[in-house]
Amino acid sequence: MKKWLIPVIIIVALVAIGGFWFVNVNNRLVPMDENVTAQWANVESSYQRRADLIPNIVKTAKGYAEFEQQTLTQVIEARSKATSVTIDPSNITPEQLAQFQQAQSGLTSALSRLLATFERYPDLKANENFKELINELERTENRINVERNRFNDQARIFNSEVRQFPTTIAASILGFERKIYFEADAGSENAPEVEFDFNS
């Protein structure tokens, strides 16, 4: 065997090993990336469920002529704003997530005012349809929290993988970037003071 052939074989072998390693890293990261994207879809689906409930809540409340129209209008406007914010799940930026959370917080705030207001209307409180809608809204809010936590779990798994050496080198070259986490809004550690009393 010619001496110049040995370095060529070594270089080809190293390139092949490097290529296989890149393929392996890519094939590991792609499913993780897809899991984050799929979980984001679950988050959006839960928020959409909340948005879908609101027209029925508003319609039921409108049946009571004395009910504050301004409160209902604020809820409708907040819903419109919240549903207009969309995010590309493959490229969630901190700015996009902040905008999304701000719109959803506006809707949460409007709903809190609506729920606080309805306490003053015994007939509306006694309406079985309205009670069931409010219960469904509460279940949906719980679901939103669950899906957001699951999104953060998937993002954590992905981020842990892309930050490890030497995977981080291949991830950077292949275009895999860290995912953004959902974070609580400022002041959200304080529970809203809304009372539900369906028995009175």
Side-chain angles (χ1 to χ4, degrees), residues 15 26-27 30 33 47 51 73 76 80 89 98 109 133 141 166 196:
V15 168
N26 185 71
N27 290 345
V30 166
D33 190 44
Y47 276 114
T73 302
I76 293 167
S80 176
S109 177
L133 287 168
E141 293 292 345
F196 296 97

Side-chain angles (χ1 to χ4, degrees), residues 16 29-30 53 58 62 70 75 77-79 90 97 101 108 119 126 138 146 163-164 178-179 191 200:
L29 294 180
V30 166
L53 282 169
V58 169
K62 272 185 176 176
Q70 181 182 0
V75 170
E77 289 172 355
R79 177 190 181 271
S90 64
L97 193 56
Q101 284 187 272
T108 299
E119 284 291 325
E138 186 177 279
V146 167
R163 291 182 63 206
Q164 292 181 42
R178 290 184 68 209
K179 303 295 183 183
S200 60

Side-chain angles (χ1 to χ4, degrees), residues 186-199:
S188 62
E189 66 276 6
N190 304 318
E193 295 181 8
V194 177
E195 295 180 10
F196 296 97
D197 182 9
F198 294 120
N199 298 319

Side-chain angles (χ1 to χ4, degrees), residues 76-161:
I76 293 167
E77 289 172 355
R79 177 190 181 271
S80 176
K81 188 173 182 181
T83 55
S84 70
V85 177
T86 57
I87 292 180
D88 175 9
S90 64
N91 185 28
I92 300 175
T93 65
E95 295 78 20
Q96 287 175 326
L97 193 56
Q99 183 184 15
F100 181 85
Q101 284 187 272
Q102 183 178 14
Q104 294 299 336
S105 293
L107 181 53
T108 299
S109 177
L111 283 171
S112 294
R113 286 191 300 275
L114 172 68
L115 296 177
T117 302
F118 102 90
E119 284 291 325
R120 296 194 297 260
Y121 295 89
D123 291 345
L124 181 56
K125 283 170 60 176
N127 181 301
E128 289 300 321
N129 187 36
F130 192 77
K131 283 198 283 191
E132 180 51 37
L133 287 168
I134 297 303
N135 287 337
E136 185 62 31
L137 180 63
E138 186 177 279
R139 288 190 291 271
T140 301
E141 293 292 345
N142 290 336
R143 191 75 199 159
I144 287 169
N145 187 52
V146 167
E147 297 299 348
R148 284 172 47 151
N149 288 339
R150 287 179 179 168
F151 173 82
N152 280 348
D153 286 342
Q154 292 297 327
R156 179 188 50 76
I157 292 167
F158 179 84
N159 290 344
S160 296
E161 188 69 23

